Amino acid sequence: MTVEEVGPEAAEAADPDPDDLRAAAGALVADLVNHPWGRSSPSVYETGRLVSLAPWLTGDSGRIRFLLDTQRPDGGWGPPDPGYALVPTLSATEALLSVLAPEGRRWPAGLSVAEVVRGAGRALRALARRLGGATAADFPDMPAIEHITPALIEAINGHLDRLRDDPVLTAWWTGGRLAPPAGMDGAFITAARAHLENGGAVPLKVQHALEVAGVSARRAGAVRPVPLPAPTRPIRELSVANGPGRFATVGASTAATAAWLGGPDVDRAGDQAARRYLEAAVEQHGGPVPVAVPVTNFERGWVLGWLARAGLAPAVPPELIAQMRASLGENGAPGGTGLPPDADTSSGVLYALSLLGKPHAPDLLWKYETTTHFCSWPGENGRSVTTNAHVLEAFGHYLECGGAGPAGRYAASARKAASWLIGEQLDDGRWEDRWHASPLYATACAALALNEFGGPESADAVNRSVEWVLREQRSDGSWGRWCGTAEETAYAVHILTLARPSGDAAPDSAARKAVERAVRRGDAYLRAALRSTPGALTGGPGDVDSGKPPLWHDKDLYRPTTIVRAAVLGALHLARHDTSVSVR
């Protein structure tokens, strides 16, 4: 909902006071403790994989209904961008075809054959249009997209071969088999299947997308589900039932876990724990599932970082601080149990601890240092702006807290990250990144890190980023790549209130007034969005951008809803406490 939709008087009346914001921030922090698996939007890709791989799992009909209800009029799924639409559309299409070729599967209750066939036919036509003449370069840098795409096309073609003479489907689809984009030949999948069948070890990073191996993944001996805590904070009466080993995941992914489990029969403790993990994961959305579960450390670092940087961090329970410190092993912290440690999550946790007055030496980040920048993990194929921004914050704030690196190495690491970030800025003043679809997120991460820890040589880059943000504001006061979103608007407000132009600081300057106007309009948009979201101020699981395309990169685009709400709350607090901007 925008300020135009509610009117300026209504938006003003909906203004949350500081106590509301602090209470909401406190509720978010309590949720980090009480729901340690984290909260994210449902994923079309991951949900489609469960429809195909685990029709016996609780919520099957709800997952199919979710796919049918989220299909776009053009037959695809995902955001209004053909590149980002590929993976979710492939997954949903294969899932619907798996329902039509059940091979002993019970037909889902409450669904008609006609609507499933209609959805599958429209999807196949959409894929044929998108894949015709496509190359790998036409699609965004999403994790495992080069493996997921040929694996799903192979599965879809298998269904089409079996359904070739089915009169119901042929009424909607008369085309032939699909061809993968040039450059996505599936050679890795063939090798991975042989590797699994021969008992080869599988790195945690690869396990996150283990489902691409198909039947070769089933009970693969080299893959062991990783035990994890209960999805909700156990109370004393349930401490035994929720104890260690009751839940276990493969790759922090329901799709990977379902592919490994292979079926509903469980005869070993690890099998039982994996099935319990799947049953627990579907509870968050009543059937559909997020793309990654759990995201414990990632969520905690980002929520507390956004709140604390904005001056809105409430009291944090000692147990949460202790768990965050414990997550930083020799190689750092993973995003969640079942994932490998990475420099991005590690830096986010380090920075949040430092902001909260509990600094932890960032030496572990040197394991991710290259000659020019810091990688997200060793052997990374790309390079990440946001990872390096978070590394800069981790080293920079630790130095501010009095930490002295060996022979000045902390300061040298901060300078390396800052210099690389400045060199990655685009000509118009923005940054882009491989972990997020919106340049607002990358620009917020880079500009705020450089503004705080980049030194005088970063001033021009920060100023140019502010100018870009001012140019990008929409007519309704929001910011957004595909449409105005509370998430992207929050990032813009963080930039405008924390990274002010340094060369024109007079209160009545044109630059300052432009920033003030933009912040007021963005603040009104955020107030309207927050007040129209059930539970947003009372600790419920509300999504302030419900119905809008998610923006974060994983196998599918997703939205970490608690993190986004933290950024929104922080932006509202900053707008109210900025000495040069009055929003009352």
Side-chain angles (χ1 to χ4, degrees), residues 74 118 120-130 171-173 178:
D74 66 0
R118 183 167 59 249
R122 292 168 56 216
L124 287 166
R125 292 196 295 273
L127 285 172
R129 291 192 300 269
R130 184 65 190 97
W172 285 91
W173 173 250
L178 302 177

Side-chain angles (χ1 to χ4, degrees), residues 262-334:
D265 299 328
V266 291
D267 52 16
R268 299 175 300 179
D271 304 345
Q272 296 166 4
R275 174 156 183 171
R276 280 194 291 267
Y277 161 78
L278 293 174
E279 296 286 358
V282 304
E283 291 181 2
Q284 182 173 153
H285 297 290
V289 289
V291 71
V293 184
V295 289
T296 308
N297 301 320
F298 164 61
E299 184 180 77
R300 289 172 173 182
W302 268 243
V303 166
L304 294 172
W306 284 116
L307 294 177
R309 176 163 44 197
L312 193 57
V316 178
E319 65 181 290
L320 185 56
I321 297 291
Q323 291 168 4
M324 291 173 67
R325 293 180 70 88
S327 72
L328 293 164
E330 180 181 353
N331 296 314

Side-chain angles (χ1 to χ4, degrees), residues 101-129:
E103 299 176 358
R105 171 180 185 157
R106 176 182 295 181
W107 185 261
L111 294 166
S112 70
V113 174
E115 65 178 331
V116 175
V117 169
R118 183 167 59 249
R122 292 168 56 216
L124 287 166
R125 292 196 295 273
L127 285 172
R129 291 192 300 269

Side-chain angles (χ1 to χ4, degrees), residues 228-241:
L228 70 163
T232 56
R233 184 180 186 178
I235 58 176
R236 184 173 302 172
E237 291 79 2
L238 296 177
S239 59
V240 175

